[in-house]
Amino acid sequence: MAQHFSLAACDVVGFDLDHTLCRYNLPESARLIYNSFAQFLVKEKGYDKELLTVTPEDWDFCCKGLALDLEDGNFIKLADNGTVLRASHGTKMLAPEVLAEEYGRKEWKHFMPASGMACRSGKYYFYDNYFDLPGALLCARVVDSLTKNNGQKPFDFWKDIVAGIQHNYKTSAFKENCGIYFPEIKRDPGRYLHTCPESVKKWLRQLKNAGKILMLITSSHSDYCRLLCDYILGNDFEYLFDIVITNALKPGFFSHLPSQRPFRTLENDEEQEALPSLDKPGWYSQGNAVHLYELLKKMTGKPEPKVVYFGDSMHSDIFPACHYSNWETVLILEELRGDRDGKPEDSEPLEKKGKYEGPKAKPLNRLSKKWGSFFIDSVSGLENTEDSLVYTWSCKRISAYSTIAIPSIEAIAELPLDYKFTSFSSNNSKTAGYYPNPPLVLSNDGKLTTK
């Protein structure tokens, strides 16, 4: 039986910011993120200068859903049952016979089929969003360089990557113009950011006028959040949102039970004293979903207000909001934009085309030749048997934890608020919740196996 989801039935509508409400010009933002790390590794940590040069072809390596094994420098793509579908050492893909010898058909050593499998640990790192993805290419090239120069194994470069994150993205980096990323976004926001279409602004006002409580929950710090929202929504953006939570430190915002982080007030974008509870709407930092939900009960006058949360990261947004807070979740999945029949929906407005382009690089949401589809892949059969198609682990998680998945907010902004979306929970369907259409590779559902 079909099960439906409607925004009209929700009391509260929450949004992530980066790559959800705020869409980036992916080819440009990817280069900037890559450079922010590469420059740090070369100049501060003495890595090979070759890291600074990236060709358009290099970007084909980037594919969401890869895991990096930090000990052996291998990247892997997982099937829904935890077996390894493809793997590379650095950027060099493993041949089928090497793959079979190294991984066989058994579960990857770090795989945990239970829902709580971490996306980050001291032993591996999952790449599940567009902020992370340029780092996958960089780390793969670091592995290439270390392997070529000294055959180093096990690898210990990860501490330098973490130092690069701290240097470029620490709390004070925006204010201090530290690193490469924030100064460049401030200098030329139009190069990296897409303004929200009028249809999306109108839709937000429509939600507000319908009596919905609107929330912004982002792990970005308040000063960067303000710059983004000013640029994409206009300087009156604060009137759209009842509650703004910055530096939310997701997924811990949802998952740190029972020892929740307190909310903090802000003064000139500096965090102030911790609050024992959240008593009124406003702009806050850090915090937790439990205290937030208590406030939502008070604001709606309902014992169990219905919340929907829009986000792009399975790790930080969708899984924790669904699993820990039991919220409805809408996954923003740009792979749906880059999928349609080799004629992808344009990922940037016409007026930007050509303005910043060098040689053409593959947009990060398009199919990777090296890694194949984000949604499915083939498992090499035994001799004289056909290959069988299986769902990827990433694809399985979409239907397990998302209510629906859409290519962008713009894709639904002109629908009536009471539009009934078919949700993934309909007959436990793997494809029902994709709007407006399932990915092309999933349209032939009958060919897939879920072994």
Side-chain angles (χ1 to χ4, degrees), residues 14 127 142 184 266 353 377 419 429:
Y127 291 90
V142 165
E184 180 58 20
L266 285 158
K353 288 205 174 296
D377 211 338
Y419 181 89
S429 169

Side-chain angles (χ1 to χ4, degrees), residues 323-341:
H323 183 71
Y324 296 105
S325 298
N326 203 26
W327 292 358
E328 302 283 0
T329 52
V330 178
L331 175 65
I332 304 296
L333 191 63
E334 292 219 22
E335 280 67 20
L336 294 175
R337 300 175 72 88
D339 168 76
R340 302 314 295 176
D341 214 8

Side-chain angles (χ1 to χ4, degrees), residues 59-85:
W59 290 104
D60 181 64
F61 184 82
C62 292
C63 176
K64 273 196 336 203
L66 301 182
L68 165 59
D69 188 319
L70 298 174
E71 292 169 320
D72 62 20
N74 285 4
F75 285 80
I76 62 162
K77 179 184 182 183
L78 287 173
D80 58 356
N81 63 0
T83 54
V84 177
L85 292 165

Side-chain angles (χ1 to χ4, degrees), residues 240-393:
L240 289 171
F241 301 103
D242 300 276
I243 299 165
V244 177
I245 300 164
T246 53
N247 195 23
L249 302 168
K250 298 175 292 182
F253 181 85
F254 298 102
S255 65
H256 280 192
L257 306 168
S259 56
Q260 297 103 349
R261 273 188 291 260
F263 281 96
R264 294 179 179 275
T265 55
L266 285 158
E267 207 169 285
N268 298 322
D269 295 318
E270 298 280 349
E271 291 180 349
Q272 304 298 307
E273 78 278 3
L275 302 172
S277 63
L278 200 58
D279 297 325
K280 60 184 180 187
W283 190 311
Y284 299 95
S285 194
Q286 297 197 36
N288 63 85
V290 174
H291 287 174
L292 172 61
Y293 198 63
E294 289 303 313
L295 174 62
L296 297 176
K297 288 180 190 177
K298 193 192 296 187
M299 290 174 71
T300 58
K302 295 184 177 182
E304 292 186 356
K306 187 169 182 176
V307 183
V308 60
Y309 187 62
F310 288 70
D312 70 295
S313 169
M314 181 57 66
H315 167 69
S316 300
D317 301 317
I318 302 303
F319 169 72
C322 169
H323 183 71
Y324 296 105
S325 298
N326 203 26
W327 292 358
E328 302 283 0
T329 52
V330 178
L331 175 65
I332 304 296
L333 191 63
E334 292 219 22
E335 280 67 20
L336 294 175
R337 300 175 72 88
D339 168 76
R340 302 314 295 176
D341 214 8
K343 300 176 205 145
E345 179 188 341
D346 283 337
S347 60
E348 55 185 313
L350 281 173
E351 68 269 15
K352 281 194 179 174
K353 288 205 174 296
K355 195 169 171 189
Y356 303 109
E357 288 175 1
K360 276 288 194 188
K362 175 190 83 75
L364 298 191
N365 59 333
R366 305 281 171 84
L367 185 73
S368 161
K369 293 189 182 78
K370 282 192 179 207
W371 293 104
S373 170
F374 172 73
F375 301 98
I376 59 169
D377 211 338
S378 57
V379 175
S380 296
L382 300 169
E383 279 184 50
N384 302 322
T385 64
E386 287 185 14
D387 287 2
S388 59
L389 289 171
V390 295
Y391 293 106
T392 62
W393 186 64

Side-chain angles (χ1 to χ4, degrees), residues 178-195:
C178 188
I180 289 174
Y181 183 83
F182 290 128
E184 180 58 20
I185 296 269
K186 284 183 195 177
R187 188 187 68 77
D188 191 1
R191 181 170 188 161
Y192 303 101
L193 310 173
H194 295 313
T195 55

